[in-house]
């Protein structure tokens, strides 16, 4: 998956983590591995302008999604298999997210992860206008985030164990390279 992130917000943001959670969410949703996604981080004024232009709502918001290609399954039986597509654009407002994180009493990084997954789900056609849609979308969003955190914790545990194993092997005289003790 190709994910490009452009930070035009003037704010520090965990760009690698945003890309990581977007990639994880796309994988969890079985998005084609060659799909492309663009993520833009913008300031409050830019987000307010986009919010008014596209939603006719005043003031900034936390995340907006702009799907590019229609990703509908099926189609004509004689059509070629669908290939990679430009999934679309996610626009995040880090300043808005920071304020929202403080109000909800969780970390800025977590808030940006939530908003990124939320944006990916919107690009894939999920919405929360109706109660049933909201239940489905937010349930899926929470599951993807929990799985992402579990995978991150597992990788961190494995990394710590590999480092311990390497130190132990060096201390007892073994090299890390096979056959070079």
């Amino acid at each position: 998956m190709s994910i490009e992130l452009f930070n035009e917000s003037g704010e520090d943001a965990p760009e690698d983590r945003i890309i990581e959670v977007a990639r994880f969410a796309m994988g969890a949703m079985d998005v084609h591995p060659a799909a492309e996604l663009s993520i833009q981080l913008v300031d409050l004024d830019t987000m307010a302008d986009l919010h008014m232009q596209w939603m006719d709502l005043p003031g900034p918001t936390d995340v907006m999604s702009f799907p590019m290609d229609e990703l509908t399954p099926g189609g004509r039986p004689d059509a070629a298999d669908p290939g990679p597509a430009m999934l679309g654009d996610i626009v995040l407002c880090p300043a808005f997210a920071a304020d929202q994180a403080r109000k909800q009493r969780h970390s800025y990084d977590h808030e940006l992860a939530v908003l990124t997954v939320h944006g990916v789900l919107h690009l894939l056609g999920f919405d929360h206008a109706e109660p049933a849609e909201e239940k489905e979308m937010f349930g899926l969003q929470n599951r993807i985030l929990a799985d992402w955190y579990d995978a991150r914790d597992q990788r961190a545990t494995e990394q710590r164990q590999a480092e311990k194993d390497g130190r132990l092997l060096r201390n007892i005289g073994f090299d890390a390279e096979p056959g070079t003790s």
Side-chain angles (χ1 to χ4, degrees):
M1 288 170 215
S2 172
I3 301 173
E4 291 187 34
L5 187 143
F6 305 96
N7 188 347
E8 301 166 358
S9 69
E11 305 279 335
D12 285 331
E15 296 175 15
D16 290 343
R17 288 189 77 188
I18 292 169
I19 292 170
E20 179 187 334
V21 75
R23 182 170 281 118
F24 188 90
M26 291 167 65
M29 297 303 296
D30 292 324
V31 172
H32 193 283
E36 299 175 10
L37 171 66
S38 172
I39 302 172
Q40 287 188 300
L41 309 182
V42 300
D43 60 30
L44 288 165
D45 290 338
T46 303
M47 185 59 101
D49 290 344
L50 290 169
H51 202 212
M52 181 55 81
Q53 178 182 356
W54 294 100
M55 303 296 292
D56 202 25
L57 295 170
T61 189
D62 49 9
V63 60
M64 294 182 72
S65 297
F66 299 93
M68 290 295 214
D69 291 336
E70 190 70 30
L71 298 177
T72 54
R76 291 176 34 158
D78 60 341
D81 287 337
M86 177 60 186
L87 192 57
D89 298 314
I90 297 173
V91 181
L92 300 170
C93 184
F96 196 97
D99 186 52
Q100 203 160 257
R102 276 190 298 279
K103 289 176 182 172
Q104 295 180 15
R105 298 180 184 209
H106 57 240
S107 76
Y108 172 63
D109 287 8
H110 175 72
E111 184 67 18
L112 287 171
V114 168
L115 297 175
T116 301
V117 172
H118 191 85
V120 168
L121 292 175
H122 272 307
L123 291 178
L124 295 173
F126 290 88
D127 202 355
H128 46 85
E130 300 295 325
E133 293 173 334
E134 181 177 0
K135 182 178 180 183
E136 178 185 20
M137 183 175 180
F138 283 91
L140 188 54
Q141 175 181 298
N142 292 338
R143 191 197 85 226
I144 290 169
L145 283 164
D147 290 350
W148 177 65
Y149 280 119
D150 287 347
R152 284 179 60 88
D153 291 347
Q154 181 64 33
R155 282 192 311 274
T157 299
E158 290 170 0
Q159 179 64 33
R160 283 191 303 274
Q161 187 60 51
E163 289 168 1
K164 284 181 185 178
D165 292 348
R167 284 191 303 272
L168 177 64
L169 289 172
R170 284 188 300 280
N171 287 339
I172 61 174
F174 286 98
D175 287 334
E177 298 294 320
T180 61
S181 58

